[in-house]
Amino acid sequence: MRIVIAGGHGQIALRLERLLHARGDEIAGIIRRPEQAGALLAAGAEPVVCDLESAAVEDIVKHLETADAAVFAAGAGPGSGIARKDSVDRAAASLFADAAEAAGVRRFLVVSSMGADTEPPEGTDPVFAAYLRAKGAADADVRARAGLDWTILRPGRLTDDAGTGRVTLGESTGRGEVSRDDVAAVLAALLDEPGTAGRTLELIGGDTPVAEAVRAAAGG
């Protein structure tokens, strides 16, 4: 497959790129800054410089026209303020979805966040609350699109621990941690499982092998 990943320099995206390259897929990663290109090349991905905060739909469509699937893994990241949570985590996700629909790319994965569907509890850090609201709004936008075979993945608290290859995946998992390695492994498996289209799935560490967990989520 040819897969285009928005936020191609992110920690999960780089892991996913390495996995997809190792299995023989062709990957393009959308990045904001040219100096990020080396990390993508090392991961086996083609770097595509395109700032999703300022690009027009047609700028992104040309990178998606030959793709079989698209993955939105971009985020404003730590240290960014409330405004960029909206411009990246919400608006860029919607723009990328617009481009996927225009390019005829139906398979569309989103890396979201656990807790994105509920109003943040009172006392939540304002920037984190803005992040959750932005993710929730982006997810709602994607879920309303009949032109996409979308799957939304909502990991728990991310860690840099080595992946175990075993997870808990479902509509509601409860709170927990999950390694970025295992998130990337689940994303790779979801790309191969069209039966998970139309599903919003939570993900934490667990005891079920990734392939088995994804098959179960698809009803297999």
Side-chain angles (χ1 to χ4, degrees):
M1 290 196 294
R2 175 172 169 81
I3 300 152
V4 179
I5 302 173
H9 191 255
Q11 295 185 69
I12 290 172
L14 287 169
R15 288 166 166 84
L16 177 60
E17 287 155 8
R18 287 191 286 268
L19 289 175
L20 297 176
H21 174 70
R23 74 183 198 183
D25 289 327
E26 180 184 346
I27 317 104
I30 295 177
I31 54 177
R32 277 199 313 132
R33 301 193 300 274
E35 59 267 27
Q36 297 172 328
L40 273 74
L41 290 169
E46 170 198 351
V48 174
V49 180
C50 180
D51 187 348
L52 296 180
E53 288 182 272
S54 59
V57 171
E58 54 268 25
D59 298 328
I60 306 165
V61 168
K62 63 185 180 184
H63 302 303
L64 284 165
E65 285 175 335
T66 60
D68 299 295
V71 180
F72 185 81
S80 58
I82 289 174
R84 292 202 68 228
K85 300 304 183 193
D86 184 72
S87 63
V88 179
D89 293 284
R90 182 197 60 78
S94 295
L95 181 69
F96 195 57
D98 287 342
E101 284 191 307
V105 181
R106 291 199 61 92
R107 192 68 175 117
F108 193 86
L109 304 188
V110 177
V111 183
S112 184
S113 175
M114 197 173 286
D117 267 346
T118 57
E119 180 62 17
E122 188 175 346
T124 301
D125 172 77
V127 175
F128 186 63
Y131 165 76
L132 291 175
R133 292 186 186 107
K135 282 293 192 186
D139 292 354
D141 177 24
V142 168
R143 286 187 294 211
R145 294 173 184 261
L148 297 178
D149 295 328
W150 53 265
T151 303
I152 294 170
L153 185 65
R154 291 179 165 172
R157 193 177 75 81
L158 298 169
T159 76
D160 288 326
D161 296 340
T164 66
R166 293 178 176 271
V167 298
T168 299
L169 179 69
E171 291 185 358
S172 180
T173 62
R175 297 283 175 170
E177 296 182 344
V178 63
S179 72
R180 289 178 172 87
D181 285 351
D182 286 332
V183 175
V186 168
L187 288 167
L190 287 171
L191 285 165
D192 289 336
E193 184 43 85
T196 59
R199 304 291 303 279
T200 300
L201 300 169
E202 294 185 348
L203 173 67
I204 58 173
D207 299 320
T208 306
V210 166
E212 183 180 329
V214 170
R215 279 196 304 270

